[in-house]
């Protein structure tokens, strides 16, 4: 529920402030509701910033709200949330200094209890903000699209023809949404549209997120991946991933289509700790075990055109024979016909500790880095990073595990962070940024640590500060 902007050296430039500050003056649900699950992506192709924020509470009913969406072959068109959106690009709101509270007590007025207000029956919303320039401190274009279904856990992805945002109807429903917003119009600050498809009976979806500046072939559809199994059906093991091909047509939405799923055979796996919302990872000196989100592919699924081949990388957490958690990773080649071929796979579990919530990234040379949470009965939850050179034997993370931050205390809530996150630095296409949470000693809540890693082969050409993986 908070956003901030830093320099690469760690100097704060803005915030932390409520995330919906970026929608200040826009009106509607995006300005009124400050929600968690907001995600920021950097669009390297356009040198812009994308912020996506769902609303988790229904707004008041309105005449143009969409009826309930159900699974079908055709895409739905999301109604726009605000008239004449996006309107002029608006600067970030600078919060005033807190006012000094008055010494006068607030009068207490007693009276009959009010009747309970019925819950609103209007739509949910997905809120988009796109920076008008490369400067995130500058103006932003804002968009709101109405959704009839709960838009949980968005995982935005940048692709040449759109901003793809898969979401979930909820933890008790085996239904997912895959939506895409008109990237080209949003970058120009023009009226834009969003199209959505509904898919039943599927695990959490992850759209391919483009890294680097080499594009996929013109018109290439976006790829969506999901893990096998279904926690709500107690199907906690699988030997496959599943892939869909998402082709959007902005001129004729009737031609938008999602093809799949295609079964991709992989080594057998079992969800770490039986899936999400489970009491899983132990903590020193505490009876509280924390959630590992073991049922899903984690953010991000990364696409990169390496020149001589196109690559797709995904990762998730799996049970290990030592009774702990390991990082399972996959790299696929994207063939000319857009089919996927498994190039390598592996499980990183060098000891009996828990490694979970991984986020993979490829640098410009095809070296693979993965950041993840780390913990055990003797180590407080923290964040680590491991990797492999493109030329290393397949299926192995050969570079020594590096520590981003060691935890200093146990967390009280069962729910650990929703994901960790990697990103590649666009300046050198080599430095790998990673962010994750930990708890400081005697702290009331968690803190966030951001750091950078580089592979040895990139050091001579890289700029800026960071930690070299060895």
């Amino acid at each position: 529920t908070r956003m901030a902007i830093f320099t690469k050296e760690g100097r704060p430039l803005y915030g932390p402030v409520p995330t919906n500050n970026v929608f200040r003056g826009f009106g509607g649900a995006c300005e009124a509701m400050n929600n968690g699950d907001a995600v920021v992506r950097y669009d390297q192709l356009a040198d812009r910033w994308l912020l996506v924020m769902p609303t988790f509470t229904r707004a008041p009913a309105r005449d143009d709200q969409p009826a309930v969406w159900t699974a079908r072959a055709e895409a739905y068109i999301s109604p726009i949330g605000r008239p004449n959106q996006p309107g002029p690009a608006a600067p970030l709101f600078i919060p005033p200094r807190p006012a000094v509270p008055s010494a006068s007590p607030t009068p207490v007025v007693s009276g009959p209890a009010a009747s309970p207000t019925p819950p609103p029956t209007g739509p949910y919303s997905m809120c988009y903000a796109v920076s008008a320039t490369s400067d995130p401190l500058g103006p932003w274009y804002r968009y709101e699209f109405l959704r009839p279904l709960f838009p949980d856990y968005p995982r935005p992805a940048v692709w040449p023809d759109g901003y793809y945002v898969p979401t979930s109807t909820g933890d008790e429903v085996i239904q997912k949404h895959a939506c895409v917003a008109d990237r080209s119009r949003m970058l120009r600050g023009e009226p834009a549209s969003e199209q959505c498809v509904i898919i039943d009976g599927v695990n959490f979806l992850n759209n391919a997120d483009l890294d680097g500046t080499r594009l996929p072939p013109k018109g290439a559809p976006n790829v969506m991946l999901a893990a096998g199994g279904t926690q709500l059906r107690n199907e906690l093991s699988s030997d496959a991933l599943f892939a869909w091909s998402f082709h959007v047509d902005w001129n004729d939405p009737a031609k938008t289509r999602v093809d799949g799923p295609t079964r991709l055979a992989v080594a057998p796996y079992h969800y770490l700790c039986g899936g999400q919302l489970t009491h899983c990872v132990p903590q020193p000196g505490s009876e509280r075990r924390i959630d590992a989100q073991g049922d899903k592919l984690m953010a991000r699924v990364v696409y990169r055109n390496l020149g001589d081949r196109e690559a797709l990388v995904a990762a998730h957490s799996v049970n290990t024979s030592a009774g702990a958690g390991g990082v399972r990773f996959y790299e696929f080649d994207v063939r000319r016909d857009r089919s996927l071929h498994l190039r390598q796979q592996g499980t990183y579990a060098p000891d009996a500790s828990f490694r979970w919530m991984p986020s993979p990234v490829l640098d410009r040379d095809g070296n693979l880095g993965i950041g993840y949470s780390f913990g055990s009965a003797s180590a407080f939850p923290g964040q680590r990073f491991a990797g492999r050179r493109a030329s290393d034997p397949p299926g192995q993370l050969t570079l020594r595990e590096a520590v981003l931050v060691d935890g200093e205390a146990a967390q009280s809530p069962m729910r650990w962070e929703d994901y960790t996150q990697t990103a590649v630095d666009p300046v050198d296409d080599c430095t790998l940024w990673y962010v994750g949470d930990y708890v400081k000693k005697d702290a009331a809540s968690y803190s966030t640590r951001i750091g950078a890693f580089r592979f040895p082969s990139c050091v001579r050409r890289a700029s800026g500060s960071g930690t070299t993986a060895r």
Side-chain angles (χ1 to χ4, degrees):
T1 58
R2 294 289 186 271
M3 64 173 288
I5 300 172
F6 301 87
T7 66
K8 292 180 184 178
E9 293 75 27
R11 181 168 58 90
L13 299 176
Y14 179 78
V17 297
T19 306
N20 64 336
N21 267 11
V22 74
F23 297 99
R24 188 70 173 246
F26 183 58
C30 298
E31 179 179 4
M33 302 181 190
N34 186 45
N35 291 283
D37 275 12
V39 182
V40 172
R41 289 281 186 266
Y42 178 69
D43 184 341
Q44 299 177 60
L45 304 180
D47 196 16
R48 303 286 190 86
W49 299 91
L50 167 71
L51 183 148
V52 175
M53 183 187 77
T55 65
F56 287 166
T57 303
R58 289 188 180 274
R62 48 192 287 178
D63 293 339
D64 61 347
Q65 69 187 60
V68 174
W69 292 344
T70 57
R72 68 179 192 183
E74 297 83 11
Y76 291 93
I77 309 298
S78 305
I80 61 172
R82 302 295 297 157
N84 304 313
Q85 67 181 31
L92 284 177
F93 172 71
I94 306 298
R97 292 181 178 275
V100 178
S102 170
S104 302
T106 303
V108 177
V109 178
S110 61
S115 300
T117 303
T121 58
Y124 299 100
S125 293
M126 187 61 74
C127 309
Y128 294 81
V130 178
S131 67
T133 70
S134 61
D135 184 2
L137 295 170
W140 292 70
Y141 301 118
R142 289 87 59 87
Y143 297 84
E144 177 190 2
F145 296 104
L146 307 183
R147 303 276 192 89
L149 301 173
F150 185 58
D152 193 23
Y153 205 45
R155 299 160 157 211
V158 176
W159 199 249
D161 63 6
Y163 292 132
Y164 288 77
V165 184
T167 54
S168 173
T169 304
D171 293 324
E172 303 300 324
V173 182
I174 311 175
Q175 181 186 70
K176 305 294 181 285
H177 334 145
C179 300
V180 54
D182 193 333
R183 172 179 173 269
S184 62
R185 285 184 169 271
M186 296 169 92
L187 290 171
R188 296 192 298 266
E190 298 175 351
S193 59
E194 181 190 63
Q195 299 183 33
C196 296
V197 296
I198 310 301
I199 303 176
D200 288 335
V202 64
N203 209 321
F204 288 81
L205 297 167
N206 238 328
N207 287 81
D209 189 30
L210 188 151
D211 274 353
T213 56
R214 289 192 185 100
L215 299 181
K218 186 176 178 60
N222 187 271
V223 176
M224 294 192 301
L225 293 182
T230 306
Q231 183 176 348
L232 290 179
R233 296 184 181 132
N234 202 34
E235 299 168 357
L236 309 180
S237 299
S238 183
D239 58 0
L241 302 184
F242 294 88
W244 289 258
S245 175
F246 195 155
H247 169 79
V248 64
D249 192 313
W250 295 114
N251 296 318
D252 185 359
K255 295 181 180 178
T256 293
R257 68 180 190 274
V258 174
D259 298 322
T262 298
R263 188 180 188 278
L264 306 171
V266 299
Y269 57 86
H270 186 91
Y271 294 168
L272 176 57
C273 304
Q276 67 164 346
L277 300 176
T278 57
H279 302 272
C280 175
V281 181
Q283 303 181 94
S286 174
E287 294 183 0
R288 168 65 72 195
R289 287 177 173 252
I290 54 179
D291 181 27
Q293 298 270 20
D295 63 322
K296 58 181 74 69
L297 294 179
M298 298 306 298
R300 300 174 295 136
V301 167
V302 174
Y303 167 91
R304 183 180 278 273
N305 187 336
L306 294 165
D308 59 341
R309 66 184 182 91
E310 299 174 73
L312 199 68
V313 171
H316 60 142
S317 308
V318 299
N319 274 1
T320 65
S321 57
V327 170
R328 169 69 68 85
F329 63 93
Y330 311 92
E331 183 176 1
F332 296 91
D333 288 327
V334 185
R335 292 173 165 170
R336 290 181 180 273
D337 63 0
R338 314 317 296 165
S339 63
L340 301 182
H341 175 262
L342 183 63
R343 184 182 184 90
Q344 64 167 318
Q345 61 183 319
T347 301
Y348 186 65
D351 53 38
S353 298
F354 284 77
R355 292 166 177 84
W356 76 101
M357 214 164 280
S359 183
V361 63
L362 290 172
D363 71 9
R364 67 188 177 201
D365 296 330
N367 302 314
L368 171 64
I370 303 179
Y372 47 85
S373 295
F374 172 90
S376 69
S378 59
F380 293 115
Q383 302 296 336
R384 298 194 177 189
F385 193 95
R388 53 168 281 110
R389 302 175 186 88
S391 59
D392 286 340
Q396 300 179 33
L397 298 186
T398 54
L399 298 187
R400 187 179 66 198
E401 183 176 67
V403 177
L404 175 65
V405 62
D406 284 324
E408 300 173 356
Q411 175 174 290
S412 295
M414 175 270 290
R415 191 69 181 267
W416 186 238
E417 57 191 344
D418 268 341
Y419 48 82
T420 59
Q421 192 66 70
T422 56
V424 65
D425 195 312
V427 173
D428 57 21
D429 206 19
C430 169
T431 302
L432 309 177
W433 291 89
Y434 176 63
V435 57
D437 295 342
Y438 70 109
V439 180
K440 295 181 179 179
K441 185 178 180 181
D442 299 325
S445 183
Y446 66 88
S447 296
T448 297
R449 178 63 62 90
I450 305 171
F453 299 79
R454 287 192 296 271
F455 284 85
S457 60
C458 284
V459 169
R460 290 190 300 272
R461 294 179 287 175
S463 61
S465 59
T467 299
T468 300
R470 300 186 185 278

